[in-house]
Amino acid sequence: SGSVPESGAYFKNPEGGLGQYYRGPLRELGVIVEHGASTWPDVQLSNYAGKRIAQTLDKKQAFDELKQVALEGSGRISELSRIGKAIHPSAIEPGSDEATILRQLLFGEDSTLCQGQQSEQIQWRRASLLLMLHYLQKAGSVKDPVADEFRWACLSRRLPDGSACPIPESLSNAAQGWGAYQRNDLLNYCLECLFYAALKEVDREPCRPNELVKLLSDQAVADIPADAIQPALPALPNTVAGWITATRLPEDSTDADPWGPLSTWALAHRLKSAVGNDEMTVVPALAARLLGRLATDRGNCSSHPFAPIPDAVEMASNHEVHLRRWWDRAASRSSENTSSFLRELLLDWVKYRHLRVATRKLANQGVSTYKYRPEEGNLLLVAERLPWPTYTAPRIRQAFRVTEDLHCIHRTNAGTELSELGKAILEAHHV
């Protein structure tokens, strides 16, 4: 009916799963188009893409059986299980019309089929998909989680064995874009970890904002003791410039280990482990080391880090916290005291940022997302449970799954590998 149910759900979508998950991607791919009528759903299949895909499905008995079950309104579990296996994307037959059309649609290989797509989006998606296939070709085999390994490879330009990952010129923008995405995601993960540490402290005892950020900044600049696996890290220098220099990525050499104990990956893994093990006094210190690293580890970027990604620079300009703003903030205040700089950063980008964002959501959506509230000068915890720090989830994992369903890659006991069809696609695109 298009009406929003009156419930306590945080996210309400009157179009259900179609609107929440599929409508945007299907419209971007030109599979569906708006028809402008008042009836719902207000989209229809495009003649050049949507109907061609639907016709390949009409030939399959399992889809006809699924429609019959839907019309009848009920079905046996065994029947649904059998139909589900037959219509699952992993059941797409190699060399079938369905597989061919979907590959051409995703890689933008047929101008008639892809006429509903924007040229810039086709180029970005194609370059990203080819970069994924190229990565698997160079790596040979990648163990799960392959999507995470790919993201870190874009940041480090290294393969799982530590060797350099050469990037063809035609894919360099895509690699730089995904590398910048991973760095930006790591920046936000560090801020989330600091927010989590702050919430844990407020949960222990209400405190004033200035007292809280002083405690966290003192922990951030402190030395990190060694354990059985990881080396000790000295206390941070007194100036921002010294802090940035001290946390700079070690100079590359023929025997350097890109996944070694001082690598960006190792520090991020150490931070995640500290959060998981509730080692909260170490969390601010590790987050600070990574923030310092991100001020100089820019992946040879000479302009805006998001420049290779369509529409990303304009999108970033509307937000107060992102990678470029971190670079500018660290560079413009390099002579300041490290502890003072961190205290102001924690107030501005962690504590008050949460209040600003939560206030906007309350005003615009009528939904309260406050984790704490001020009362008589103190911060009081109001969250029923603390938000766990997480990385974002771009559709890379789904992209690997789709390319597997379309037989461009395959899984073995050793990991995910490039298929013969995947190799042919790279050759066809001169990669």
Side-chain angles (χ1 to χ4, degrees):
S1 65
S3 62
V4 178
E6 293 183 3
S7 69
Y10 174 74
F11 188 88
K12 305 179 183 70
N13 197 315
E15 297 181 2
L18 169 66
Q20 184 170 349
Y21 302 112
Y22 303 116
R23 179 172 176 147
L26 289 174
R27 185 168 49 209
E28 182 178 307
L29 289 168
V31 175
I32 59 175
V33 294
E34 313 286 339
H35 60 58
S38 59
T39 56
W40 186 91
D42 56 350
V43 293
Q44 63 187 18
L45 293 174
S46 64
N47 291 327
Y48 46 81
K51 289 185 179 179
R52 287 182 61 184
I53 296 173
Q55 288 166 358
T56 68
L57 305 182
D58 286 340
K59 301 175 184 177
K60 299 182 182 296
Q61 181 180 349
F63 280 93
D64 187 60
E65 292 175 343
L66 179 63
K67 286 188 289 185
Q68 291 302 317
V69 170
L71 290 172
E72 293 173 7
S74 63
R76 300 182 65 84
I77 291 178
S78 58
E79 182 181 18
L80 294 173
S81 177
R82 177 184 60 82
I83 295 175
K85 292 178 181 178
I87 65 172
H88 192 275
S90 62
I92 296 176
E93 299 173 1
S96 64
D97 289 344
E98 180 186 6
T100 300
I101 291 175
L102 290 176
R103 280 198 301 269
Q104 291 175 338
L105 188 74
L106 288 171
F107 285 92
E109 296 174 335
D110 185 322
S111 58
T112 301
L113 182 69
C114 301
Q115 62 184 279
Q117 302 181 38
Q118 296 181 7
S119 175
E120 190 176 42
Q121 292 293 337
I122 292 177
Q123 293 173 10
W124 172 254
R125 185 176 62 255
R126 178 195 293 144
S128 295
L129 290 169
L130 291 175
L131 181 64
M132 290 161 50
L133 299 184
H134 171 76
Y135 168 65
L136 288 177
Q137 183 182 53
K138 293 300 179 183
S141 181
V142 179
K143 295 181 179 179
D144 278 331
V146 63
D148 292 345
E149 293 289 339
F150 171 76
R151 290 172 62 171
W152 278 106
C154 290
L155 182 149
S156 65
R157 298 293 182 97
R158 298 287 188 143
L159 297 171
D161 65 0
S163 61
C165 181
I167 305 295
E169 181 61 30
S170 60
L171 304 181
S172 61
N173 274 353
Q176 186 169 320
W178 282 114
Y181 185 100
Q182 181 70 354
R183 288 180 175 86
N184 190 72
D185 209 23
L186 182 56
L187 167 70
N188 280 286
Y189 180 74
C190 290
L191 296 175
E192 283 191 29
C193 289
L194 291 169
F195 183 56
Y196 183 74
L199 290 177
K200 294 279 283 189
E201 189 62 30
V202 174
D203 186 28
R204 188 181 67 82
E205 181 183 13
C207 57
R208 296 183 180 278
N210 287 335
E211 296 172 349
L212 178 60
V213 298
K214 183 182 185 307
L215 173 65
L216 294 175
S217 64
D218 288 346
Q219 293 173 344
V221 300
D223 65 291
I224 303 175
D227 57 27
I229 302 175
Q230 298 151 324
L233 299 175
L236 295 179
N238 291 329
T239 66
V240 173
W243 161 32
I244 301 303
T245 300
T247 54
R248 184 185 296 271
L249 188 69
E251 291 296 327
D252 194 8
S253 64
T254 55
D255 59 350
D257 183 0
W259 314 116
L262 296 179
S263 66
T264 307
W265 175 87
L267 290 174
H269 181 73
R270 193 170 179 177
L271 174 59
K272 185 176 181 180
S273 298
V275 172
N277 296 329
D278 204 33
E279 301 171 355
M280 299 316 299
T281 58
V282 182
V283 167
L286 288 167
R289 268 71 180 176
L290 280 166
L291 288 173
R293 173 69 54 82
L294 290 171
T296 55
D297 181 15
R298 304 186 178 188
N300 298 320
C301 176
S302 58
S303 59
H304 198 292
F306 307 143
I309 307 174
D311 304 321
V313 173
E314 180 180 359
M315 187 184 303
S317 66
N318 297 320
H319 294 270
E320 60 181 319
V321 179
H322 55 75
L323 189 60
R324 179 57 187 266
R325 295 205 190 279
W326 169 241
W327 292 354
D328 294 344
R329 187 169 187 139
S332 64
R333 305 173 70 172
S334 61
S335 61
E336 292 187 14
N337 176 267
T338 303
S339 294
S340 300
F341 177 90
L342 281 169
R343 287 197 293 271
E344 186 175 338
L345 181 76
L346 286 162
L347 279 174
D348 192 21
W349 278 15
V350 177
K351 304 307 299 175
Y352 295 157
R353 178 193 182 196
H354 168 67
L355 292 175
R356 290 193 296 270
V357 172
T359 301
R360 282 198 297 267
K361 287 185 177 180
L362 182 63
N364 297 333
Q365 303 175 21
V367 177
S368 175
T369 58
Y370 292 99
K371 305 305 178 190
Y372 56 81
R373 61 178 173 83
E375 182 173 302
E376 297 182 354
N378 287 328
L379 296 178
L380 301 180
L381 190 73
V382 296
E384 295 183 2
R385 57 182 181 178
L386 304 185
W388 193 260
T390 58
Y391 290 92
T392 59
R395 299 296 177 101
I396 297 177
R397 180 172 58 86
Q398 290 86 341
F400 274 109
R401 183 178 297 170
V402 168
T403 52
E404 181 183 0
D405 292 335
L406 297 180
H407 311 287
C408 305
I409 64 177
H410 60 85
R411 296 179 185 271
T412 66
N413 292 333
T416 302
E417 300 178 358
L418 188 66
S419 69
E420 292 301 319
L421 176 59
K423 295 176 183 178
I425 291 175
L426 287 177
E427 292 178 3
H429 289 275
H430 307 290
V431 176

